[in-house]
């Protein structure tokens, strides 16, 4: 064929370019950068806190996923394994080579995929 579509994956589980604080992150990473399993946001043990879905309704405080509900410098969570450290940042990778959610035309895509959905190599 003269042209064909590409199967560009939707961004998931990564920080969107331009989201410098990770406030929009809604992936499922649940381990801190130091390797501690995250505490559920609904749990007050071992670390009591006020960062709940009721107090921060628009920040996706679900399960024990890393989030940034309060303007910290990146996604973080409370440590479910003890009180030291009480909380820590999560090492969420930056999105690369994928479509932002809702981008149905691919107009914002800036990745390097060079094969069409039918397996043809793209022309340079």
């Amino acid at each position: 064929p003269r042209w064909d579509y590409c199967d560009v994956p939707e961004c998931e589980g990564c920080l969107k370019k331009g989201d410098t604080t990770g406030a929009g992150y809604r992936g499922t990473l649940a381990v801190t950068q130091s390797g501690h399993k995250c505490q559920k946001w609904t749990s007050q043990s071992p670390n009591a806190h006020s960062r709940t879905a009721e107090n921060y309704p628009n920040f996706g405080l679900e399960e024990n996923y890393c989030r940034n509900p309060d303007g910290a410098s990146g996604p973080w969570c409370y440590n479910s394994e003890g009180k030291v450290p009480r909380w820590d940042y999560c090492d969420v990778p930056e999105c690369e080579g994928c479509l932002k959610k809702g981008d149905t035309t691919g107009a914002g895509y800036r990745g390097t995929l060079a094969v069409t959905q039918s397996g043809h190599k793209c022309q340079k």
Side-chain angles (χ1 to χ4, degrees):
R2 186 172 169 84
W3 66 273
D4 196 1
Y5 290 103
C6 296
D7 269 335
V8 179
E10 190 173 273
C11 299
E12 192 177 350
C14 53
L15 292 178
K16 313 270 188 290
K17 274 199 186 308
D19 184 359
T20 56
T21 65
Y25 173 69
R26 295 297 180 270
T28 58
L29 184 65
V31 178
T32 69
Q33 63 187 5
S34 55
H36 296 288
K37 185 179 175 191
C38 295
Q39 174 180 313
K40 287 191 174 195
W41 295 99
T42 55
S43 176
Q44 293 295 319
S45 177
N47 295 292
H49 61 90
S50 62
R51 281 18 174 233
T52 63
E54 294 77 29
N55 293 341
Y56 295 83
N58 301 317
F59 290 92
L61 299 182
E62 303 162 359
E63 297 295 326
N64 62 337
Y65 304 140
C66 299
R67 296 291 186 260
N68 184 4
D70 57 4
S73 62
W76 60 274
C77 67
Y78 291 103
N79 173 12
S80 74
E81 299 170 351
K83 295 186 177 211
V84 179
R86 174 175 158 77
W87 66 274
D88 197 3
Y89 288 106
C90 301
D91 193 14
V92 180
E94 190 174 278
C95 297
E96 201 174 306
C98 53
L99 290 176
K100 290 182 181 175
K101 201 175 196 91
D103 182 356
T104 57
T105 65
Y109 176 67
R110 299 294 180 268
T112 58
L113 183 66
V115 178
T116 69
Q117 62 188 14
S118 59
H120 293 96
K121 204 172 181 182
C122 296
Q123 182 178 332
K124 288 184 180 185

